[in-house]
Every structure is written in C-alpha cells, then in structure tokens.
Amino acid sequence: MRKVLLIAAVAAIAASTAPAASAATAIKWGACPADAHPGPGLQCATLQVPVNYQDPNGPKIELAVSRLPSANPAKRRGVLLLNPGGPGGEGLGYPSVLSLPGMPSPMPKDVLEGYDLIGFDPRGVGHSSPVTCDLTPEQMALGNLPYANGPADVVKQAAVAKKEAKQCADAKTGWMLPYITTANTARDMDQIRAALGEEKISYLGASYGTYLGAVYTTMYPQRSDRIVLDSNLGPGGYDIDAMHGFGRGMEDRFPDFAKYAAANPQYGLGITPAQVTAKFYDLVARLDRHPVAGITGGLLRGAAFGMLYGEFQLKTLAAMMHDLDQGKEPAPEGPAPSENMFASRFAVICGDSSWPKSIGAYQANVAVDRIRYPLIGAGEANIAACAYWPAPVEPKVRITDGGPANVLMVQNTRDPGTPLANARKLRAAFGDRARMVTVDQGGHGVYVFAPNKCGNNAVNDFLATGKRPATDTFCAA
C-alpha cells in the first residue's frame, strides 16, 4: 500500500558557447529504447556533453535525445524542445505523449507541422548517464513530504535525511552530483541546439520545466525563439519558497476535491464540502493513532497532495479515503517511481539552492506552516537531504527582464504543485519579456492535458504564429 501513497506523493557561471554543427553529421538518429514508450515516427540519438562546463575537456556524460519530425517538412519553421517536469522526469518519450490524439486538448496540425518535437532525458535521468543514491524501497516509501506531528518528528526525519545525503555522496555516481543542476541542463539544451544545426530553439516546459526554460532563456536570450512555460515555479526554482508553496497550493486546490466528494455521496465522506474537509482531518488523526496496513495520517496527507494534481485522480482519492475510513487497505495503483527519479531529484533540488542547516530552523518552519497551511504544511516544511548537501558549486541564475519579449506563461488558478502566488513572482521577474494567461481551473497543467480551450488556444496561437496576448489575460472556466 505504501506504493500507492508513494506514487501519489511524487506525481506529486557563465553560459558556454556551443559551436554550430551540421544536423546531418552531429546527430545520427535511430531507434528509441522500448522503455521510453516511443510512438510512431519517434527517433532517438545520443550526444556527449561535459560533466563540468568549466572543464570542457574533462569527463563527459551521455544525453539521450529524441525527435518527432515535422508532419509536413515544407511548413517546418524550427525545433520545439520539450520538458515534462520533475526534476527527475524522463522526457525521451514526451514528443509521443504530446502528439497523442487522445489528449484532452491535443497539439493541433499547424503546431505538429511547424516543428520537429525534441525530447530528452535531462542529465542524470533515465538514459542520460543516470545517477543513483542506492535508496531502499523503505526510504522511497517516505515520499517527498514526510509529515511532522511535532519537533521530535523533525529530529527523527533529520537522521533519515542525513543518511540519504550520505548515500548519494557515497554512491558510484556521487562524483557527478555537484553538476546535476538546472544551469548545466540549460547548457546541455544549448548543446542540443547546436547539434541540431539550429540558430534558435523554441521551448515548451511544464512544472519544473518552467524553471529550466526560464534559466535557459535567461542564459541564452538571443538563442531563444518562442518560450512557453506551463504551471510555473517561482524565479528561484525548487528552493525553500517552492517547498512552502506546496502548502499554499494544497489549500488552494483541496476545495475542488471537497466539492467533488460531496457531489458523490457514495463515497460516504459527507454531503457538503465542509463535511468532506472535516472527514479528511478526522481520518488523518485516526490513522496517526491507529494506522491501517501501515498507512499513517501523514502518508495519507502526502497521497492526497499528489492526487490533487489531476481531475481524474479525485475519484481515486475519494475511493482511497472511503476504504481507509472503513479500515480497509486501498487497491494499488501501479508501479512505484524509480530510484533514479528520487536520486536525480535530490541532485537538482539540493544542488541548485542553499538550504538551512539547523534542525531548529526546520522545527520552527514546521510549527509556522502547520498553522498557515494545515493540510500539508508540516510536511513541506520538514527537513530533507538538502540540509546535509554540499553548497552549490556556482551561483544561481537570476531571472530578469533582459532579453526579447518571447515568453508566454500559462497557469491554473488552483494548482497544488506550482501555486498561482509563485507563478506571479516569476511573471514579475520577467517583466515585459512575458505575458501570462491565467486559467480558472484546478490541477497541475494547462496545455494539452486540460480541456480549457482559451488556455490551450493561447499556447497554440503563440507556437504557430508568434502572437501573444497584448496584456496578461484571464480564461474563465
């Protein structure tokens, strides 16, 4: 059962100058690995890039890259690099996902004709020289948001976090960890651009991919064509503010679930949103006293957070709460995320930012966020491996308004993972470089995966024509 909760909680320097290269000689396309789930026409290849761009002649790692060629080469205008989020998310098969006709709002013909869709597994992830921390299933089952019921739980979690950090450092790929960062992944993207023989690249990134895109277009503004950022982190990426943002995001989103459960009384969670909310708090308290099949209230909180990401998962969360309320173990929902996903996530989040080192600081944050964000605040504020990570090897890229006005942000009003409040901070950092389209809907993701036509059309028009809204706009539900 811990697998079920783990799946839900998770689903919950200077830029280098890359020489131009001939696409015919730089990349040799071939078949894709089967575990990337390639769709028809997807091609794959491998590039070598420096581990450390400050030592370009030093050790190299491999990047796995994919291409779905334009559906009409005569109308092709360039390449569209893609990132599905993470950090730790594999992107090799993402062009196939976005081109599936079964999506709620599939990519239209003019976009599929206008670009070669380019996917890649970021450095340290999947088929791109993957990193490991030798994490055990028990360690991964704790998920990303270990809930602290008091100061003693923070001390207990500190021991877990310290051990995880040491395992990462001592693992066979520990030497790579300082360089598995967002800035280096942006440099890798520019290596892909050069290998493709392109002067500029367009980009579509979701969730963590918004920060990656923001960093790329800040480091390489003149090599950026049309930049779309969907479900936006703040300008600091996955820093401590983003973690606290999880608390804010769950508070924004949970009322949607409460309405859903109240409208479906067969789950027995209440017939009003207030009753459903009260049932959630009652259930997590009972599970902390008397776990069901090892499931505590803290684990349910983390699972609920992850299941608020998508509309289709609200039903799963309601069924899970119903079963737990009856003292029954819910049915499993599929395979658990890979150890590599956890390890690469640690590497990026811990390596991008500086984190508090004092256990007392986390205890204080837990006490504050338990009150400020009662649903998950004492989980997102808890201590993690980053507290025991070495300091970042280079300063963080500062997102500014320097560069062309070529950024389109799209954002849901009630996003649990990347809340609107933090998206507004990124919008402010970009200044006149960006326009933001805010969509009145819940969940994580606007483009392709959600049905709002206004939000999807804004992205499609920008990718196809380069036209953005004249001002920031709002899309009704």
Side-chain angles (χ1 to χ4, degrees), residues 200-220:
K200 294 184 177 183
I201 58 172
S202 293
Y203 176 82
L204 169 62
S207 192
Y208 162 73
T210 62
Y211 180 58
L212 176 59
V215 169
Y216 180 84
T217 198
T218 297
M219 294 173 66
Y220 303 98

Side-chain angles (χ1 to χ4, degrees), residues 26-105:
I27 294 185
K28 296 183 179 179
W29 299 106
C32 294
D35 61 0
H37 306 292
L42 192 69
Q43 307 164 331
C44 288
T46 302
L47 295 178
Q48 284 200 335
V49 297
V51 172
N52 178 6
Y53 278 90
Q54 304 312 307
D55 182 18
N57 296 319
K60 302 292 194 294
I61 56 175
E62 290 191 336
L63 285 184
V65 184
S66 64
R67 177 180 70 168
L68 184 64
S70 162
N72 185 347
K75 294 186 177 181
R76 177 190 181 277
R77 67 171 306 275
V79 298
L80 179 63
L81 264 68
L82 308 169
N83 182 274
E90 298 180 23
L92 206 59
Y94 200 46
S96 296
V97 172
L98 290 181
S99 61
L100 287 174
M103 291 290 106
S105 299

Side-chain angles (χ1 to χ4, degrees), residues 259-413:
K259 291 178 183 177
Y260 170 84
N264 291 272
Q266 68 269 25
Y267 295 112
L269 303 178
I271 58 173
T272 67
Q275 289 177 351
V276 173
T277 303
K279 172 65 75 173
F280 180 81
Y281 284 117
D282 172 70
L283 184 54
V284 295
R286 282 193 282 130
L287 289 171
D288 278 334
R289 294 192 301 269
H290 305 290
V292 174
I295 303 167
T296 65
L299 287 172
L300 176 57
R301 289 176 190 265
F305 172 77
M307 290 182 183
L308 294 176
Y309 271 47
E311 288 299 306
F312 69 94
Q313 293 171 297
L314 300 185
K315 177 180 179 180
T316 306
L317 176 56
M320 175 183 288
M321 286 182 58
H322 171 268
D323 288 346
L324 290 171
D325 190 40
Q326 300 298 313
K328 299 187 298 184
E329 180 179 358
E333 287 296 317
S338 70
E339 193 273 345
N340 168 245
M341 193 219 71
F342 278 93
S344 54
R345 183 178 177 86
F346 277 147
V348 173
I349 294 177
C350 301
D352 275 1
S353 304
S354 296
W355 293 82
K357 304 296 184 183
S358 164
I359 293 176
Y362 292 96
Q363 289 174 322
N365 287 341
V366 163
V368 170
D369 276 14
R370 182 193 314 284
I371 296 170
R372 184 167 55 168
Y373 307 127
L375 288 164
I376 198 67
E380 44 84 347
N382 204 352
I383 194 168
C386 296
Y388 300 97
W389 215 262
V393 297
E394 64 174 305
K396 180 178 290 189
V397 175
R398 179 171 172 264
I399 311 302
T400 71
D401 61 356
N406 62 348
V407 178
L408 178 67
M409 302 169 59
V410 288
Q411 178 70 35
N412 286 335
T413 54

